[in-house]
Amino acid sequence: MRRVVCPGSFDPITNGHLDIIGRAARLYDEVTVAVLINVEKKSLFTVEERIDILTTVTKDYPNVRVEKFHGLLVDFCRQNDIPAIVKGIRVVSDFDYELQMAQLNYRLSGVETLFMPTNPEYSFLSSSRVKEIARYGGDVSGLVPDLVHKLLIERLRG
Ligand code: PNS
């Protein structure tokens, strides 16, 4: 069984994340989407809401499961017998940051990190930008799954 993890905050999931998850699901037998529980960071959606959203928008991928984790990602990998992490790379500055994290994670545990270039259609996309645009009434359709679009409008403008 070839397993991989797609970790993140997913507050909320964007079409860029979904593209990476879907591509990983074609390459691996099982993809675990791991949502970070970060008590220090103020989030728009609770972890449980994010898990529900992720479960709904990945329902067409039978080999994708959604979990939450706290602490070190490599500990989650060890506990779940997952030998590799997949990370989407949008721009060179992502690579600078992710390379250090990948090397540290490997040093800590031997867990490998594989970088997947983001679809250029989404290379400008981030959850923070999406929230900012939606907060000020901009149109984020096409940038996030339809469910997220609806929930963003309800939460930010309702
Ligand atoms: O979507 P994000 O917020 O960019 O995701 C970042 C995430 C969750 C992948 C990263 O912060 C993470 O792995 N956090 C868990 C703590 C950890 O393992 N840190 C790495 C130490 S080298």
Side-chain angles (χ1 to χ4, degrees), residues 26-102:
R26 283 196 290 276
L27 295 172
Y28 285 86
D29 298 318
E30 186 178 85
V31 176
T32 301
V33 179
V35 183
L36 176 68
I37 304 169
N38 187 349
V39 283
E40 276 145 43
K41 206 165 144 188
K42 201 176 158 333
S43 61
L44 183 63
F45 295 100
T46 66
V47 170
E48 299 309 328
E49 285 171 332
R50 282 179 263 160
I51 287 176
D52 285 349
I53 296 169
L54 281 158
T55 305
T56 303
V57 302
T58 58
K59 68 178 185 321
D60 291 338
Y61 301 106
N63 58 337
V64 172
R65 65 188 191 117
V66 184
E67 300 280 343
K68 59 188 166 190
F69 78 103
H70 60 86
L72 292 179
L73 177 60
V74 291
D75 287 340
F76 175 84
C77 291
R78 249 195 299 245
Q79 284 150 15
N80 290 275
D81 201 16
I82 301 174
I85 302 164
V86 163
K87 286 286 186 79
I89 300 288
R90 294 166 297 190
V91 288
V92 173
S93 54
D94 276 354
F95 182 72
D96 277 350
Y97 174 79
E98 294 293 348
L99 181 62
Q100 283 187 327
M101 185 109 84

Side-chain angles (χ1 to χ4, degrees), residues 144-155:
V144 291
D146 290 345
L147 170 65
V148 173
H149 186 206
K150 180 177 138 283
L151 293 172
L152 276 171
I153 290 172
E154 278 173 21
R155 182 129 325 170

Side-chain angles (χ1 to χ4, degrees), residues 115-136:
F115 294 138
M116 189 178 273
T118 298
N119 185 327
E121 209 183 324
Y122 305 124
S123 61
F124 51 82
L125 200 50
S126 71
S127 300
S128 337
R129 290 283 162 263
V130 160
K131 283 183 279 193
E132 189 171 271
I133 295 166
R135 183 168 288 122
Y136 295 111

